[in-house]
Amino acid sequence: MEKTWEVAFSEDEKRLILREYRRLLRSCGLDPKTERPLVRKAFRFALQQHQGARRKSGEPYILHPLAVAQILVKEIGLRDPHAIAAALLHDVVEDTSIEIEVIETQFGSTVARLVEGLTKISRVESPLDSSQAETFRKILLTMADDIRVALIKLADRLHNLRTLSSLRPEKQAKILAETEFLYVPIAHRLGLYNIRTEIEDLILLHRDPAAYEAIKQKLQETAKERTAYINRFITPIEEKLKKELGIPYKIESRIKAISSIYQKMQRQGVPFEEIYDIFAVRIIIDSPPETEKADCWRVYSIITQLYRPNHNRLRDWLSQPKATGYEALHITVMGPEGKWVEVQIRSRRMHEAAEYGLVAHWRYKESQKNGQPSPYDEALERWLARIRSLLQNPDLPNIDLISELRPEIAQDEVYVFTPKGELKVLPHGATALDFAYEIHSEIGRHAIAAKVNGKPVLLSYELQNADQVEIITSERAQPTEDQLKIVKTARARQKIREYLKQQRKEAIERGRAIFEWRLRHLGIRPDDAIIRELLWYLKLPSLEELHYRLGTHQIDLPRIQEFIRLKRLSHGTSSIVDQLREKLGILSGATEIGHNDEPYNYATCCYPIPFDAVMGYLSADGLIIHRTICPHLQKLLSLDSSKVRPLRWTPTPTKQFLTALRLEGEDRPGMLLDIVKVISVQKRKNIRSIRIEGHGTYFQGIVELWVYTEHDLVSLIQELEKVRGLLKIERQLSPAIV
Ligand code: MN
């Protein structure tokens, strides 16, 4: 040992190490004969085992366990020789080749058990990819075994945070996350107010240094003004307490922690200036336990004689201590200049318990053998008992542990697990789809449903605490506009918007390609006047919108073609069609097809089907129904327009109508079979005839078939468009134009 000690450190370092060691001995106040030897032996052993090891900052490693022991003694207030020895030895087993059995032979079973617990915790903490839920469970289990393990671990955490830059960067982030999630609540539950506050401040300092500095700066800027105000507020209270209370007391003021100010600003969305409780005044009275509660109420009445209280903000934790065991009387009164000031009233016993939690109570109990049972003890015992019983049940959802730890946030957030047991925290009200995006944007994008605790649910399912969620995906699924209504997180909403934008772009491109290709077929240029009329007719704001609707099948191409053909025809036959259309407009509804005794027939030249625009032509054989765009009709009209009858379809036609499709495409083996399959098997339409003509590798054909309505036909065309090599599918207008 001596040799290592000589070689490893410089004279200055040796002096520093010894100084820290002596400081620890002085502050721990242990019995020099019965208790100190254990601590001394532990220090020597740790020094030897860590040898010349150094932290990332370069300082001797031994300074870390020394600092942990000092925090344990001075800040947590635990002056137990076994715990101090364990604090000094806490990294020995984990970082060196020493076995736990050696600790046991050298230091006895109590120290060995504590060191073993701490070693177990650092071992489960280490793997970065293991299930967090399981890790927390193991850590809590170890801590619930002996609460001293938790206290040493907290001291270790606090020192690691104070010296975070001496840890490797990948370890830093992990320590911050873990500390926030697990150790802050533990410090809270153990009533270690100061430790918890410092840890939270350090987390903020590392997470968001700018925010931390900004608040610190504001606090400094307002310090002078605040002190003056506090003095003005306190002076009358002091005078009155001196005259009327009759027992010793102390008044202090305390500034809210930077992290609490930050949290409040975030929670309430307000600037620093609007946080009204930046400071609180605390009155601590030296009152014996028998009268302490009554004395607190006496202070209350003295203060409220001076300042008007806000009854909504009265917190009586005297009659009913907080779940953590915290006891005090908090009141908020109207101070000078109409400012609300919080005053905390407590006895010295309550105060020490509030500052040091259960540790203070242990000390207190020793000095007051017959003291009444402390609410801290009871609360802690209750809590530990709950944790232990939760841990005994392996089937119990880990979430119960988490809400046990973090009741204050359990309301705003929901904790759920991936199928692998990884914990995800989402805002309250988040849905299965939010969860999908939380895991990965690609999973969100292709999500179609979810399984929660093994049962299938919709993506709109609102997540509940402890749900185990599995997302079901499909390669073909895409985000939809409707999904925006079911997500709660900004992340999911933003991703869906991005996809929708991209989808729209692609649909527009698709629509444009189809449209322009058809226009070329029809011999129309995209800047033709007819396009403007088409947009007007379809009530669309832009050509882009038309492309989009075509690209998403919201508009059928045959309808556009018909419009264009009609337009061209009307141009060709001057004003006759226009006149007719006007006439139709006025007389529409005069006659309904099928609701009328007049004999009628469907023209074989243009195959009208519901709900084509149609007209009746009164011929010698009765009323013949033509499509308004039928060229044959055009000719008849030019001869005698008085024979025209306006017609409208009955809303629900029950008979089938004959129509024809013209097909063109690649003449490949199986093409005919594929076409027939779609028409008669898939869409269940009866085919009347098929004529196919091959021209080498190209074919043309006409299919006559029966449909109920034009919608039938459109959906059939959409299906046929999927047949490989089928390049052109058009409704056959009339044999005359083929
Ligand atoms: Mn450590």
mmCIF file of all heavy atoms in Angstrom, residues 61 64 68 90-91 153 156 160, ligand 1:
data_model
loop_
_atom_site.group_PDB
_atom_site.id
_atom_site.type_symbol
_atom_site.label_atom_id
_atom_site.label_comp_id
_atom_site.label_asym_id
_atom_site.label_seq_id
_atom_site.Cartn_x
_atom_site.Cartn_y
_atom_site.Cartn_z
ATOM 1 N N TYR A 61 -9.012 9.211 -7.866
ATOM 2 C CA TYR A 61 -10.351 8.640 -7.763
ATOM 3 C C TYR A 61 -10.853 8.618 -6.326
ATOM 4 O O TYR A 61 -12.024 8.855 -6.067
ATOM 5 C CB TYR A 61 -10.379 7.211 -8.343
ATOM 6 C CG TYR A 61 -11.786 6.741 -8.559
ATOM 7 C CD1 TYR A 61 -12.447 7.002 -9.752
ATOM 8 C CD2 TYR A 61 -12.492 6.102 -7.546
ATOM 9 C CE1 TYR A 61 -13.765 6.632 -9.938
ATOM 10 C CE2 TYR A 61 -13.811 5.724 -7.721
ATOM 11 C CZ TYR A 61 -14.442 5.990 -8.926
ATOM 12 O OH TYR A 61 -15.748 5.623 -9.090
ATOM 13 N N HIS A 64 -13.526 10.839 -4.798
ATOM 14 C CA HIS A 64 -14.960 10.634 -5.033
ATOM 15 C C HIS A 64 -15.631 9.896 -3.863
ATOM 16 O O HIS A 64 -16.558 10.435 -3.259
ATOM 17 C CB HIS A 64 -15.191 9.938 -6.375
ATOM 18 C CG HIS A 64 -16.576 9.390 -6.539
ATOM 19 N ND1 HIS A 64 -17.685 10.196 -6.604
ATOM 20 C CD2 HIS A 64 -17.035 8.111 -6.613
ATOM 21 C CE1 HIS A 64 -18.765 9.442 -6.727
ATOM 22 N NE2 HIS A 64 -18.393 8.175 -6.731
ATOM 23 N N VAL A 68 -18.458 11.375 -1.284
ATOM 24 C CA VAL A 68 -19.752 10.713 -1.088
ATOM 25 C C VAL A 68 -20.003 10.501 0.404
ATOM 26 O O VAL A 68 -21.090 10.784 0.922
ATOM 27 C CB VAL A 68 -19.808 9.377 -1.874
ATOM 28 C CG1 VAL A 68 -21.063 8.574 -1.510
ATOM 29 C CG2 VAL A 68 -19.753 9.645 -3.373
ATOM 30 N N HIS A 90 -17.941 2.105 -1.790
ATOM 31 C CA HIS A 90 -19.063 1.811 -2.691
ATOM 32 C C HIS A 90 -18.658 1.448 -4.114
ATOM 33 O O HIS A 90 -19.386 0.752 -4.807
ATOM 34 C CB HIS A 90 -20.090 2.954 -2.696
ATOM 35 C CG HIS A 90 -19.738 4.121 -3.552
ATOM 36 N ND1 HIS A 90 -19.016 5.193 -3.112
ATOM 37 C CD2 HIS A 90 -20.000 4.379 -4.856
ATOM 38 C CE1 HIS A 90 -18.862 6.060 -4.092
ATOM 39 N NE2 HIS A 90 -19.443 5.602 -5.164
ATOM 40 N N ASP A 91 -17.490 1.907 -4.576
ATOM 41 C CA ASP A 91 -17.101 1.586 -5.953
ATOM 42 C C ASP A 91 -16.034 0.496 -6.030
ATOM 43 O O ASP A 91 -15.593 0.135 -7.117
ATOM 44 C CB ASP A 91 -16.573 2.850 -6.658
ATOM 45 C CG ASP A 91 -17.706 3.710 -7.189
ATOM 46 O OD1 ASP A 91 -18.787 3.158 -7.490
ATOM 47 O OD2 ASP A 91 -17.517 4.942 -7.297
ATOM 48 N N LYS A 153 -26.564 5.903 -2.226
ATOM 49 C CA LYS A 153 -26.713 6.058 -3.677
ATOM 50 C C LYS A 153 -27.043 7.518 -4.035
ATOM 51 O O LYS A 153 -26.526 8.057 -5.015
ATOM 52 C CB LYS A 153 -27.824 5.127 -4.170
ATOM 53 C CG LYS A 153 -27.934 5.008 -5.673
ATOM 54 C CD LYS A 153 -26.708 4.357 -6.276
ATOM 55 C CE LYS A 153 -26.507 4.867 -7.689
ATOM 56 N NZ LYS A 153 -25.257 4.394 -8.285
ATOM 57 N N ASP A 156 -23.937 9.525 -3.777
ATOM 58 C CA ASP A 156 -23.103 9.199 -4.940
ATOM 59 C C ASP A 156 -23.604 9.971 -6.169
ATOM 60 O O ASP A 156 -22.839 10.593 -6.895
ATOM 61 C CB ASP A 156 -23.179 7.683 -5.166
ATOM 62 C CG ASP A 156 -22.324 7.209 -6.321
ATOM 63 O OD1 ASP A 156 -21.257 7.806 -6.554
ATOM 64 O OD2 ASP A 156 -22.734 6.232 -6.991
ATOM 65 N N ASN A 160 -21.731 12.845 -8.325
ATOM 66 C CA ASN A 160 -21.544 12.664 -9.775
ATOM 67 C C ASN A 160 -22.095 13.853 -10.553
ATOM 68 O O ASN A 160 -21.519 14.278 -11.547
ATOM 69 C CB ASN A 160 -22.232 11.389 -10.250
ATOM 70 C CG ASN A 160 -21.383 10.164 -9.977
ATOM 71 O OD1 ASN A 160 -20.165 10.260 -9.860
ATOM 72 N ND2 ASN A 160 -22.028 9.021 -9.845
HETATM 73 MN MN MN B 1 -19.581 6.362 -7.269
#
